[in-house]
Amino acid sequence: MFRAARRIGKERTDVSIQKSIQLPLFEVLEEVGGRARPSEVYERVADAIGIGEKSRQETRTCGDGQSYRVFDQQVRWARQTAVAEGLIAGDRGIWELTDSAYLKLGKIRRGAVVLIYTTGDGFALWAHAEDAASYIDDGSVQLLMTSPPYPVVNREYGRFTVEEWLRWMRHCMGIWKSLVASGGTIAVNLMDVFVQGTPMLSPYVERFTLSSIDDVGLHFAGRMMWYSPTKLGNIEWTAKRKVHPRNKLEHVLLFSKAPRPSWDITRIEMPVKSSSGRKVKRDTIRPSGMDICESAFVSGQGLPSNLIIAGGASGNDTYSRRARDVGIGRHPARFPEAIPRRIIQLATAPGDICYDPMAGSNTTGKVASELGRRFIASEPMLEYVRASSLRFSHRSDFRLKEEIGDVVGSQAQ
Ligand SMILES: C[S@@+](CC[C@H](N)C(=O)[O-])C[C@H]1O[C@@H](n2cnc3c(N)ncnc32)[C@H](O)[C@@H]1O
């Protein structure tokens, strides 16, 4: 009697462990391309749910004397439950996510591209960046502007080590180079991250820059810095231990296909004039001996700089309010409109195409459209693409496709 009760209790625990393993197991399978051998997933699932090395190595011995790792066995049970629910297919040697599992994850299958909505001046695809590219004409994009997931940071849409991230981004930059017009620009917004467990900055931004130049063959056309007065800084090293100054800067790296991209700073609208609009009286001969035109010193009318000052995206803007009203989750890591606005004005003319391959809430598309440019957006998380449609759904030229959209890729084949 006592034994039976204990067994029932134990089974309950195993079932709840299996359930808590199931989603990370799907995410890991998705990260490695949708199918994998069991031995390729155990370690990654353990990392994903934070199982320490000691628990990971714990073994038990069966009645026949064979020993097995307890954690790996739990992952196998989680897989068995998922097979029974139609979420994992394949034989014991290969585990493969089914379409139902992808829908549960809300993430598109690799290789598939689905059109979710269109407007008179743009369209949004549900797709991974690598796949969406095959539906865009080479040389048609004047500006590719994006903010990729940063390495090391855990988000519901993935996590990467620095090495994995650099490999992935080198691959993407190679694909994007073909899409961009000869005078076109690729703009990438990146945030500094720390080497895990230390207050040292990861030099991944520098490594990415060099790899884009040396391996991909792009030109390093410029760099903008985004200063965000509202940025909080790192919790561990700034707020708790107080050893690292609050980092309020992010990078926007600008690469071009040609040594002279079609940029024009006169298209950049400058911040509102100072209240007086008076000229600031200064000597036009600088200490260096250079003569600088007086108009550069007119308050609010100087030449545009490479500094963008803007707080983070508001949690109460129209997009957020509409998302709240219809009960869709907002995107957790939007950039403010000021970022794409400055770059679009610098690097494109009205009518040009701006493409954001990691579009999230499609801030880039919204600003591009407002500025009279055309937009393309792609994003692998369905929830985000749906929420981004709320930026355009009030317009008469807005067309939402079917629930999952017109399948233009292999998803439904
Ligand atoms: C920092 S967010 C971009 C936010 C966006 N700039 C905005 O303002 O809403 C990065 C986005 O990249 C997406 N992402 C992750 N992996 C991707 C992939 N393989 N291809 C394309 N996008 C990806 C994530 O789902 C996420 O929405």
Side-chain angles (χ1 to χ4, degrees), residues 119-254:
T119 62
D121 54 3
F123 60 90
L125 302 169
W126 181 32
H128 287 273
E130 304 88 316
D131 303 321
S134 49
Y135 292 88
I136 301 169
D137 290 337
D138 278 357
S140 65
V141 172
Q142 191 63 27
L143 170 66
L144 188 146
M145 157 101 241
T146 203
S147 175
Y150 309 131
V152 187
V153 179
N154 278 348
R155 292 259 184 218
E156 88 186 281
Y157 43 78
R159 69 195 148 254
F160 303 84
T161 64
V162 164
E163 297 306 324
E164 286 168 344
W165 187 92
L166 286 167
R167 257 197 313 277
W168 176 53
M169 283 299 287
R170 189 170 54 231
H171 176 61
C172 289
M173 292 293 273
I175 296 174
W176 297 339
K177 186 181 169 194
S178 313
L179 301 184
V180 166
S182 58
T185 304
I186 299 178
V188 184
N189 162 227
L190 296 177
M191 177 183 84
D192 285 320
V193 298
F194 287 92
V195 175
Q196 250 175 344
T198 81
M200 298 294 105
L201 282 190
S202 162
Y204 88 99
V205 176
E206 288 74 11
R207 291 178 64 190
F208 168 69
T209 307
L210 291 176
S211 155
S212 301
I213 300 163
D214 297 337
D215 305 334
V216 185
L218 289 162
H219 296 271
F220 192 28
R223 187 201 320 262
M224 298 240 175
M225 294 308 291
W226 165 26
Y227 167 70
S228 168
T230 54
K231 208 169 165 62
L232 288 177
N234 184 273
I235 296 178
E236 182 68 21
W237 306 113
T238 302
K240 279 198 199 153
R241 303 208 198 192
K242 303 198 169 29
V243 292
H244 211 284
R246 216 165 130 188
N247 187 356
K248 294 184 165 207
L249 296 175
E250 287 198 16
H251 311 255
V252 185
L253 306 168
L254 301 168

Side-chain angles (χ1 to χ4, degrees), residues 187-387:
V188 184
N189 162 227
L190 296 177
M191 177 183 84
D192 285 320
V193 298
F194 287 92
V195 175
Q196 250 175 344
T198 81
M200 298 294 105
L201 282 190
S202 162
Y204 88 99
V205 176
E206 288 74 11
R207 291 178 64 190
F208 168 69
T209 307
L210 291 176
S211 155
S212 301
I213 300 163
D214 297 337
D215 305 334
V216 185
L218 289 162
H219 296 271
F220 192 28
R223 187 201 320 262
M224 298 240 175
M225 294 308 291
W226 165 26
Y227 167 70
S228 168
T230 54
K231 208 169 165 62
L232 288 177
N234 184 273
I235 296 178
E236 182 68 21
W237 306 113
T238 302
K240 279 198 199 153
R241 303 208 198 192
K242 303 198 169 29
V243 292
H244 211 284
R246 216 165 130 188
N247 187 356
K248 294 184 165 207
L249 296 175
E250 287 198 16
H251 311 255
V252 185
L253 306 168
L254 301 168
F255 300 96
S256 61
K257 211 158 151 173
R260 283 169 184 263
S262 335
W263 289 5
D264 181 350
I265 61 171
T266 65
R267 287 188 296 236
I268 297 178
E269 94 209 8
M270 291 299 289
V272 196
K273 278 188 198 167
S274 70
S275 52
S276 67
R278 275 184 300 115
K279 278 186 184 177
V280 179
K281 258 218 155 316
R282 281 198 221 164
D283 198 343
T284 60
I285 305 292
R286 307 302 295 153
S288 60
M290 263 174 91
D291 189 355
I292 296 182
C293 158
E294 241 197 338
S295 67
F297 299 114
V298 176
S299 296
Q301 289 177 17
L303 299 170
S305 78
N306 63 350
L307 180 67
I308 304 173
I309 303 176
S314 160
N316 202 27
D317 57 2
T318 312
Y319 159 82
S320 306
R321 285 198 305 275
R322 286 185 187 148
R324 232 179 351 253
D325 288 349
V326 298
I328 304 184
R330 269 188 297 140
H331 195 283
R334 289 170 292 144
F335 50 31
E337 293 181 13
I339 308 291
R341 186 173 298 278
R342 176 78 65 90
I343 314 288
I344 289 170
Q345 287 175 334
L346 170 69
T348 69
D352 282 344
I353 295 180
C354 305
Y355 169 41
D356 190 338
M358 297 163 177
S361 69
N362 200 6
T363 312
T364 306
K366 186 232 179 203
V367 176
S369 175
E370 269 172 17
L371 294 172
R373 277 67 168 173
R374 290 176 288 161
F375 74 88
I376 303 174
S378 62
E379 161 64 48
M381 300 287 287
L382 183 57
E383 180 92 342
Y384 298 156
V385 190
R386 278 200 182 127

Side-chain angles (χ1 to χ4, degrees), residues 70-103:
V70 179
F71 179 74
D72 295 359
Q73 179 61 41
Q74 281 162 343
V75 177
R76 285 192 286 274
W77 281 335
R79 175 252 172 196
Q80 251 170 29
T81 312
V83 169
E85 292 169 355
L87 299 167
I88 289 186
D91 56 26
R92 277 160 176 248
I94 295 282
W95 299 358
E96 185 170 5
L97 290 178
T98 62
D99 283 344
S100 311
Y102 276 101
L103 278 179

